[in-house]
Amino acid sequence: MAQQETDEQVNVDEEGFLIDTEDCEARETAHRERGTSRPITVVGNPVLHKECKDVTEFGDELAALIDDMFASQRTAEGVGLAANQIGVDLKVFVYDCPDDEGVRHVGAICNPVLEELPPEARVLDDSGEGCLSVPTAYAKLARPDYAVVRGQDAQGNPVRVRGTGYFARCLQHETDHLYGYLYIDRLSKRERKDALRQMAENTPRYEVVPND
């Protein structure tokens, strides 16, 4: 059976925002069971440190990549994963992330662009942040507690995603990845050094791609 024939129908609300809170378990399971888990690339791998290519082909190959990304995300016990974190140079990320109210969000976004918030909407949250590509390291990082990302779904349709709290942090973190930024790039030199020390002193719980 062709991959596209098994793809879910992606729905948006009247404002064009992706409806990503319905049938989360079934949708995530379907992606994951079709996919194959891949090892995670880590800081220092060149693919993580440059802007990724735009997605221009919305077909079976992209659908299979998204399935693999959901499988890889589950193996690594993450809440978001960008394509370059499994070594693929394309602007797409997936997520399976709760917001601060405990509502689960599951989806995939291609060619994401973070929308600029008006000053009155920029309330910073300095919670801790981690990254599958900087395994076992955590640091506090101030980010807005509300985020809107616009992009395309797996079929190329325009969509927007919005999130609050932890989910807002996830949307910003994953969009950063696709433009070549890790969260540690937003830390002070001292904080970045500490995060890399944490990574060096511990062993990740999932398979990673060693840097040569």
Side-chain angles (χ1 to χ4, degrees):
M1 181 183 296
Q3 183 69 49
Q4 282 184 303
E5 294 177 3
T6 62
D7 279 342
E8 68 200 69
Q9 180 65 42
V10 177
N11 295 316
V12 297
D13 65 17
E14 56 192 19
E15 297 178 83
F17 284 104
L18 188 66
I19 299 173
D20 59 5
T21 58
E22 297 179 352
D23 303 317
C24 289
E25 184 66 25
R27 292 189 292 111
E28 190 275 339
T29 298
H31 280 299
R32 178 166 42 85
E33 290 184 346
R34 291 194 300 262
T36 300
S37 181
R38 306 192 200 179
I40 304 296
T41 55
V42 296
V43 58
N45 189 306
V47 75
L48 294 175
H49 302 283
K50 64 184 182 70
E51 182 175 345
C52 292
K53 296 175 182 176
D54 289 345
V55 176
T56 57
E57 299 291 332
F58 297 86
D60 290 357
E61 190 171 336
L62 176 63
L65 170 63
I66 289 172
D67 289 342
D68 285 357
M69 290 171 68
F70 272 104
S72 304
Q73 175 177 255
R74 174 58 70 93
T75 297
E77 299 178 5
V79 296
L81 187 76
N84 53 358
Q85 291 185 273
I86 55 170
V88 178
D89 183 11
L90 281 177
K91 282 182 183 166
V92 54
F93 73 79
V94 303
Y95 58 87
D96 181 0
C97 184
D99 58 30
D100 280 4
E101 285 70 49
V103 177
R104 184 179 181 184
H105 299 258
V106 170
I109 299 294
C110 302
N111 303 323
V113 175
L114 190 65
E115 294 190 359
E116 188 71 27
L117 296 177
E120 63 272 16
R122 289 179 58 85
V123 178
L124 295 181
D125 170 17
D126 64 352
S127 297
E129 189 162 329
C131 179
L132 298 179
S133 292
V134 193
T136 74
Y138 298 90
K140 287 187 175 183
L141 177 62
R143 291 190 190 265
D145 68 354
Y146 176 72
V148 177
V149 170
R150 69 177 184 273
Q152 294 164 281
D153 65 20
Q155 288 75 45
N157 302 306
V159 293
R160 298 167 78 202
V161 181
R162 56 186 167 189
T164 60
Y166 188 50
F167 183 40
R169 182 175 293 275
C170 175
L171 293 175
Q172 295 168 83
H173 179 110
E174 300 307 329
T175 300
D176 269 357
H177 266 302
L178 300 177
Y179 290 87
Y181 295 99
L182 297 168
Y183 86 98
I184 60 173
D185 295 327
R186 297 189 178 277
L187 301 176
S188 69
K189 289 184 179 180
R190 177 181 171 185
E191 292 166 332
R192 176 186 170 91
K193 183 177 180 180
D194 181 64
L196 293 174
R197 178 193 56 76
Q198 292 179 53
M199 175 179 163
E201 290 179 352
N202 295 285
T203 302
R205 62 184 180 275
Y206 44 84
E207 184 181 0
V208 300
V209 179
N211 293 329
D212 295 330

